[in-house]
Amino acid sequence: MKILGNILWLLFGGLETAIEYFVASIAMFITIIGIPFGLQSIKLGVFCLWPFGSKVRAKEGQPGCLSTVMNVIWFFVGGVWIWLTHIFFGVLLYITILGIPFGKQHFKMAHLALTPFGREII
């Protein structure tokens, strides 16, 4: 069932948002300061390709002030635009009955798109 869900996910906005993550990572790799943000964007892009069967959880222990600072920078650099994409697809998919699980997944990923640092994908 996870495989079917992931294939349908690619058709219902998953591929577009994954491409957005990968393009953002390439843009962030241009500078040395942007490399950690680019790596996180690649992780989120891979998660966006196959979200069903994967889980996101907070890292063990305190995330620390570095994660907070990086989340604030991420918010202004690219998090808002990716968040808007997830919200757009989530609202669009909630209109149909079959799209509700995929819309729900977009809303979960929208939260992750705003603050990705301090979390890990399992």
Side-chain angles (χ1 to χ4, degrees):
M1 203 61 180
K2 288 186 271 187
I3 294 172
L4 180 62
N6 284 326
I7 291 171
L8 290 174
W9 168 259
L10 290 175
L11 298 174
F12 292 131
L15 185 62
E16 290 84 2
T17 53
I19 290 171
E20 186 175 14
Y21 278 115
F22 294 136
V23 168
S25 69
I26 290 170
M28 290 179 203
F29 278 134
I30 292 174
T31 65
I32 294 174
I33 297 170
I35 290 174
F37 300 102
L39 291 173
Q40 192 69 17
S41 183
I42 287 176
K43 289 178 192 175
L44 293 174
V46 170
F47 175 65
C48 193
L49 284 175
W50 305 106
F52 294 103
S54 301
K55 293 184 180 185
V56 177
R57 67 175 182 164
K59 287 186 178 178
E60 297 291 326
Q62 294 283 343
C65 66
L66 185 60
S67 293
T68 305
V69 169
M70 292 182 81
N71 278 330
V72 170
I73 294 170
W74 171 267
F75 179 81
F76 291 111
V77 171
V80 173
W81 304 112
I82 297 173
W83 176 79
L84 286 172
T85 304
H86 283 299
I87 295 296
F88 171 74
F89 280 120
V91 169
L92 193 67
L93 289 168
Y94 255 89
I95 294 172
T96 65
I97 293 173
L98 293 176
I100 290 175
F102 302 106
K104 187 176 178 182
Q105 188 70 26
H106 270 293
F107 287 134
K108 287 180 187 176
M109 293 184 76
H111 177 68
L112 183 64
L114 283 180
T115 56
F117 293 97
R119 296 192 168 92
E120 60 184 353
I121 300 168
I122 301 171

